[in-house]
Amino acid sequence: MLRAIKVRLYPDEQQKQRLSQAFGNCRWLWNYCLSLMNETYKETGKGLSGYAVKKQIPQLKKEYEWLKLTYSQCLQQVCLNLGVAFNNFFEGRAQYPRFKSKHHQQSIHFPQNVKMLGSAIKLPMLGEVAAKLHRPIEGKIKTVTVSMNCYGQYYASILTDDGKDNPEQSVKGKAVGIDLGLTHFAITSDGSKFDNPRWLVRHERNLKCKQRRLSRRVKDSNNRNKARKQIAKIHSKISRCREDFHHKLSRRIVDENQVICVESLNIRGMVKNRSLSKAISQVGWGSFCTMLNYKAEWEGKVYIEVDRFFPSSKTCNDCLYQVSSLPLDVRHWQCSNCGAKHDRDVNGAKNIRDEGLRIISLGSRDNAYRPDVRRDSRGRKKSTVALSVG
């Protein structure tokens, strides 16, 4: 079973210079190969694979001798990663590969020849780099990705394989439905509500002050670089606080439940709403669901997503009566059919749980259906006759 552990690195000044050189060389090679692929396709109508551009590295080292200062397998991995990026694009999993900039996060990949030495990591051509290992590294090391954020902090993501198979998934146990929101980050079917920490709001005043200071600095000056790093430090703080909250909450939910049902959300479409885009972007629903997914897989538990068009909030959990409309400002409502009183979010979480269990009972992972809405070939909403998947 593959697992990744992210640890903090503390390289010395000489190692920082070597890492900076390696980051620059790998970034240059990525941009060179991407440009070569684009030009080849324009001229011949055919693209190049990652293995094809990797064969040009020996010739490039003769023309640009500074490429020899970087570990050869790191350069080879750049070409392979570019080939994977194109495969992801053609299969619809990612956008078209873009050119890399020195102002964004930098990273290099070490596919082998990495050793763990207690409180340090031994990397090729870098030697022993001090590291903060907060947990033991178990299993065989597959790859190590060394990265540097915009603030200048160094990290290593260590991918290991313990040689064990993933535990068999079972649905025997407690099931929970989770309704994600903005006022409360998560509402569970058992009535628990977890407040949204709103980390960006907590640091917004300090962030605005630093951004105004940056706007007054002269471009390409040292003072501008210092101001830019101050802003990057605040964003790093916000990101780490949000990630810590997601990890703790996802671990708690996975430990307490066997089946986890959530609603699939079109976050990319939701952020187009100018009134809610900032709040949706800072809450981090996507990363939270990703954590729930892989942690449940590690524990042999079931994670399932209910289709976003399933009317979870407008359906009475007691009698399954569906109201015609339910505005967002209505947080509590009473069913006109059975008279049951509902908390909008808790009722939605219960319906998500029940729908997830219904899908599992069918023996397939088919999405829940929305009786009056389907999508045509262009992705637009379109009315249709109700169809049952059962």
Side-chain angles (χ1 to χ4, degrees):
M1 183 167 55
L2 298 177
R3 293 202 180 196
I5 300 175
K6 188 175 182 179
V7 300
R8 179 77 180 274
L9 297 181
Y10 298 91
D12 55 30
E13 292 301 325
Q14 184 177 4
Q15 290 171 340
K16 287 182 180 179
Q17 292 179 2
R18 293 181 180 179
L19 282 172
S20 178
Q21 179 71 41
F23 290 147
N25 290 353
C26 291
R27 183 179 63 250
W28 180 89
L29 182 62
W30 172 283
N31 293 339
Y32 175 86
C33 294
L34 179 56
S35 177
L36 179 63
M37 288 180 170
N38 293 339
E39 294 297 329
T40 302
Y41 180 79
K42 290 180 181 179
E43 295 176 359
T44 64
K46 296 181 180 180
L48 294 175
S49 65
Y51 292 96
V53 294
K54 188 180 72 170
K55 296 179 181 179
Q56 302 189 20
I57 293 180
Q59 182 61 32
L60 291 175
K61 285 185 176 181
K62 296 179 181 179
E63 299 180 10
Y64 308 98
E65 295 186 356
W66 37 266
L67 286 175
K68 298 179 181 179
L69 301 175
T70 303
Y71 187 47
S72 60
Q73 293 192 11
C74 292
L75 299 177
Q76 296 173 12
Q77 195 65 35
V78 169
C79 301
L80 299 180
N81 291 343
L82 184 57
V84 172
F86 271 101
N87 291 336
N88 292 336
F89 166 72
F90 290 123
E91 295 178 7
R93 293 191 297 267
Q95 296 181 351
Y96 191 83
R98 296 179 296 180
F99 292 97
K100 293 188 176 182
S101 170
K102 65 179 180 180
H103 299 296
H104 297 158
Q105 177 173 304
Q106 310 296 315
S107 64
I108 54 175
H109 301 269
F110 294 90
Q112 59 182 0
N113 297 330
V114 179
K115 296 181 180 179
M116 309 302 300
L117 302 174
S119 60
I121 302 178
K122 187 175 182 180
L123 300 171
M125 300 186 70
L126 290 174
E128 298 181 9
V129 182
K132 181 66 174 180
L133 302 178
H134 57 281
R135 64 180 65 184
I137 307 297
E138 300 177 355
K140 180 181 178 181
I141 298 177
K142 304 291 290 184
T143 61
V144 174
T145 302
V146 178
S147 61
M148 182 190 70
N149 60 18
C150 298
Y151 180 53
Q153 297 172 328
Y154 295 85
Y155 294 91
S157 296
I158 306 170
L159 179 64
T160 61
D161 186 3
D162 57 8
K164 301 178 182 178
D165 296 331
N166 291 336
E168 185 177 355
Q169 291 184 339
S170 173
V171 297
K172 296 181 179 180
K174 181 182 177 182
V176 66
I178 303 175
D179 185 22
L180 301 176
L182 294 177
T183 303
H184 293 92
F185 176 78
I187 302 92
T188 63
S189 55
D190 55 10
S192 300
K193 295 185 177 182
F194 301 93
D195 291 335
N196 181 8
R198 302 182 185 273
W199 297 111
L200 181 59
V201 175
R202 298 186 183 187
H203 300 271
E204 192 169 20
R205 183 176 180 181
N206 187 21
L207 188 61
K208 287 182 178 180
C209 179
K210 296 297 191 299
Q211 288 174 336
R212 285 196 298 266
R213 184 180 302 174
L214 175 66
S215 65
R216 292 193 292 264
R217 296 294 181 261
V218 179
K219 289 186 177 181
D220 300 328
S221 64
N222 291 332
N223 287 334
R224 185 177 179 84
N225 290 332
K226 293 179 182 179
R228 180 182 56 81
K229 289 185 177 181
Q230 291 176 347
I231 295 176
K233 182 179 180 180
I234 300 175
H235 282 294
S236 176
K237 175 69 173 180
I238 296 172
S239 177
R240 288 184 287 111
C241 290
R242 179 172 52 241
E243 185 180 18
D244 179 72
F245 171 74
H246 288 170
H247 272 298
K248 291 178 179 178
L249 181 56
S250 60
R251 171 50 58 190
R252 174 179 173 179
I253 293 175
V254 172
D255 289 343
E256 295 178 353
N257 302 278
Q258 184 65 29
V259 179
I260 303 169
C261 308
V262 300
E263 185 178 15
S264 64
L265 299 174
N266 182 19
I267 301 177
R268 182 176 297 179
M270 295 173 68
V271 295
K272 294 180 180 179
N273 186 336
R274 295 184 179 181
S275 301
L276 299 176
S277 60
K278 186 176 182 180
I280 294 174
S281 299
Q282 67 171 309
V283 75
W285 289 329
S287 62
F288 176 72
C289 291
T290 300
M291 293 179 185
L292 284 176
N293 192 2
Y294 73 74
K295 289 178 182 179
E297 184 179 357
W298 287 351
E299 304 294 333
K301 301 183 179 182
V302 178
Y303 170 88
I304 187 169
E305 291 187 353
V306 175
D307 191 85
R308 65 179 70 101
F309 295 113
F310 174 70
S312 58
S313 299
K314 298 191 295 183
T315 302
C316 175
N317 183 254
D318 293 337
C319 65
L320 301 183
Y321 175 78
Q322 181 179 339
V323 298
S324 59
S325 64
L326 192 66
L328 288 176
D329 57 344
V330 178
R331 310 314 302 177
H332 295 82
W333 60 282
Q334 185 175 4
C335 178
S336 59
N337 185 44
C338 65
K341 296 181 179 180
H342 297 293
D343 180 295
R344 178 194 182 105
D345 298 324
V346 176
N347 177 70
K350 290 180 179 180
N351 287 326
I352 291 173
R353 176 200 59 193
D354 295 342
E355 182 64 18
L357 293 176
R358 187 191 70 85
I359 296 173
I360 295 175
S361 66
L362 294 176
S364 67
R365 295 300 179 89
D366 294 335
N367 289 332
Y369 75 101
R370 171 73 182 275
D372 57 344
V373 174
R374 69 178 176 87
R375 291 187 175 271
D376 60 13
S377 59
R378 297 182 181 180
R380 297 177 299 186
K381 292 182 180 178
K382 190 175 179 181
S383 298
T384 184
V385 180
L387 299 175
S388 174
V389 297

